[in-house]
Amino acid sequence: MRAVALGLLGACLCLAGVTGCAVAGAHLAARRRRSSGAAVAEGRTGSALPQKLSLRGPVAADIRAAAASRCDVYPETGYTAELDLSLPGRVDTLALFLPTYQGPGRYPVTGGGGARAVRANLSGVGSAGSGWVEVAAGGRGGTLELALGHGRSTERLSGAWNCATVGAAYGPPIQGTGTRHSEALIATGGLSANVTSALVPSHEVVVGAPNCGAYPFGGGSRFNLAMSIELQGSPYLLDVQAPDFQGPGFYYPALTAASLPANSPLATAQLSVDAPPARPGRIPDGTWAAVGGDLHVGSGLQSGRMFVRFLDRAGSSFILSGAWSC
């Protein structure tokens, strides 16, 4: 089983490095919410973060501050950063998508995709046709050089961007009730721990979905597995989904469907600190998204195995492997 999983993981990661990906629109729906109504590491914060951006073209502006709404690695989109830029007479949203994110580094804007392709858009102007985006060490900002729009309306945006404050803290864990199950999971790498038990919350983690099981969606079926686990003394919320569930079997977590080998059933997984930000208006650290591996769902849909590699915006990774039960 381990040999098969390692082979599949290598195939997923190899293809993710050479395949371009389609991405979702600039404004992503916050789909993982707790019973308190707080979004997990998502949602507009209204915080003004320092910037050093210069816009030149039909509209000219020097941007020294902007509000960040997203800054992390998300399932189905990859690294995503959104900044609300105050321009003369309006506010435009700069959206950066890196669907094949592999950690800090430079990613080019390419029309046909590529191993490290980036998609960029400035609402009110248009998409980038050329240029690059660099993510700095730490994954909270970087530099960019973009040609946006087309024809006479082309704008050039350049400089240093920032989408999160370093060291955002968390408040106390959310106190939830549910059923505790025995697990046999091992985390190795950027996070390391033995997970021997997990709490399956009694409240909905994904709106309209069970925390352990299949459910109808859009004429088909989805599978959701949500549990609270402890890693290195901190509570984390693990949420794994198979968006096109076909019953018991193997599903393959990745940032996007295009990251997978042909005809492989997609799964997504996200691991977030199970606590709200202690200071409102700051995008927190602590979110990891699956970039490869496999999820096995057993015949009773209540147990199985997983071998999943997770990545965060700073480029750190870890593997969660073993048997799960809910």
Side-chain angles (χ1 to χ4, degrees):
M1 179 69 180
R2 175 63 57 83
V4 173
L6 283 169
L8 292 170
L9 175 62
C12 290
L13 295 179
C14 178
L15 196 61
V18 299
T19 307
C21 302
V23 298
H27 296 281
L28 307 176
R31 69 186 183 94
R32 289 177 171 83
R33 297 182 181 271
R34 310 178 199 274
S35 59
S36 64
V40 179
E42 296 183 357
R44 298 197 174 278
T45 66
S47 58
L49 300 175
Q51 315 290 332
K52 292 183 179 179
L53 293 171
S54 174
L55 185 67
R56 295 293 181 263
V59 177
D62 292 319
I63 301 156
R64 296 295 172 258
S69 57
R70 284 185 174 84
C71 184
D72 226 318
V73 182
Y74 299 92
E76 300 183 77
T77 60
Y79 185 103
T80 303
E82 289 188 1
L83 301 169
D84 291 333
L85 309 183
S86 294
L87 305 180
R90 69 179 196 258
V91 175
D92 282 3
T93 298
L94 172 66
L96 308 174
F97 299 103
L98 287 71
T100 53
Y101 184 67
Q102 300 167 26
R106 181 169 292 194
Y107 296 78
V109 174
T110 57
R116 296 175 68 86
V118 61
R119 296 273 300 271
N121 179 274
L122 183 62
S123 62
V125 175
S127 298
S130 62
W132 48 267
V133 173
E134 184 167 348
V135 180
R140 298 176 178 87
T143 56
L144 56 77
E145 180 78 41
L146 300 172
L148 298 149
H150 60 278
R152 296 182 178 179
S153 62
T154 298
E155 298 275 358
R156 293 198 170 271
L157 182 66
S158 61
W161 57 278
N162 179 23
C163 68
T165 303
V166 176
Y170 286 86
I174 293 176
Q175 299 299 318
T177 59
T179 303
R180 187 162 293 279
H181 294 267
S182 296
E183 313 294 340
L185 295 169
I186 300 175
T188 57
L191 290 176
S192 58
N194 292 325
V195 180
T196 58
S197 67
L199 179 72
V200 177
S202 58
H203 61 269
E204 289 184 346
V205 172
V206 177
V207 177
N211 287 332
C212 182
Y215 63 102
F217 186 89
S221 178
R222 287 190 171 187
F223 180 85
N224 184 54
L225 169 63
M227 58 176 66
S228 180
I229 62 178
E230 185 174 297
L231 297 173
Q232 297 180 340
S234 297
Y236 284 85
L237 185 67
L238 173 66
D239 183 20
V240 186
Q241 286 211 0
D244 183 21
F245 188 61
Q246 303 294 323
F250 284 90
Y251 298 84
Y252 303 98
L255 288 178
T256 66
S259 300
L260 295 172
N263 301 318
S264 296
L266 174 69
T268 66
Q270 181 169 293
L271 185 79
S272 302
V273 174
D274 195 13
R279 284 163 279 182
R282 307 180 78 183
I283 297 176
D285 301 328
T287 300
W288 306 70
V291 294
D294 62 71
L295 169 74
H296 175 254
V297 180
S299 58
L301 309 188
Q302 301 292 299
S303 63
R305 299 187 65 85
M306 67 172 67
F307 186 93
V308 183
R309 181 189 173 215
F310 289 86
L311 181 76
D312 71 359
R313 65 182 171 202
S316 298
S317 67
F318 77 96
I319 291 174
L320 187 64
S321 62
W324 60 268
S325 174
C326 63

